[in-house]
Amino acid sequence: MTESHLLEAYLAAVGAGCGNGDKAGAKLLRGQFHDVVLLGDVAYRFPRDEESRRLLPARMALLRALRNCEMPVAIPGLLSDAAAGQPLGQCHAALQRVSGQPIESDRLAGAPAKSRMVTDLALLLD
């Protein structure tokens, strides 16, 4: 399936629940375990395999718990996980997008930058 067909299938899966009649700005990002459809202020997370689909409810419960903690970073809010029990391709969770920029790969060039990133992540998780 091409990416444009996949995006159309995902948009059909969120259907009226997306709350946005203009789907022209939708963007598909493909990850190792999930595909994410960005549409306005919402990120729709679609598991790519059965294991990820099975784990989606636990991942959303973790997000809920993290939102209740005082974290030094923004945590996406769960808007809906009503479709979490659906089959692959339809199973998804709707999350509130947080502001920020992706980490560019050139910012991680070299061992010192990678070490700094690992240290920062360890501090955050600690």
Side-chain angles (χ1 to χ4, degrees):
M1 183 179 289
T2 67
E3 283 198 22
S4 62
H5 286 107
L6 187 57
L7 177 58
E8 286 299 319
Y10 287 153
L11 289 172
V14 299
C18 71
N20 185 340
D22 180 18
K23 298 177 184 177
K27 181 178 181 182
L28 175 63
L29 301 175
R30 309 224 49 211
Q32 182 176 2
F33 300 106
H34 294 89
D35 287 338
V36 177
V37 174
L38 302 177
L39 183 61
D41 292 336
V42 181
Y44 296 93
R45 182 174 170 177
F46 287 84
R48 293 186 66 181
D49 57 53
E50 280 299 324
E51 179 70 7
S52 298
R53 186 189 71 78
R54 187 183 63 75
L55 292 173
L56 186 63
R59 301 291 189 245
M60 296 305 102
L62 177 60
L63 276 178
R64 277 191 215 94
L66 287 173
R67 291 272 300 187
N68 292 329
C69 298
E70 291 187 28
M71 301 291 285
V73 296
I75 304 294
L78 179 63
L79 300 173
S80 174
D81 61 355
Q86 297 297 316
L88 281 177
Q90 296 173 5
C91 174
H92 66 277
L95 304 167
Q96 174 188 24
R97 292 177 67 181
V98 296
S99 62
Q101 296 296 320
I103 299 172
E104 302 297 331
S105 59
D106 61 339
R107 290 187 60 198
L108 295 177
K114 289 178 185 174
S115 177
R116 191 169 45 255
M117 177 64 67
V118 169
T119 300
D120 289 348
L121 288 172
L123 288 171
L124 173 66
L125 294 173
D126 190 35

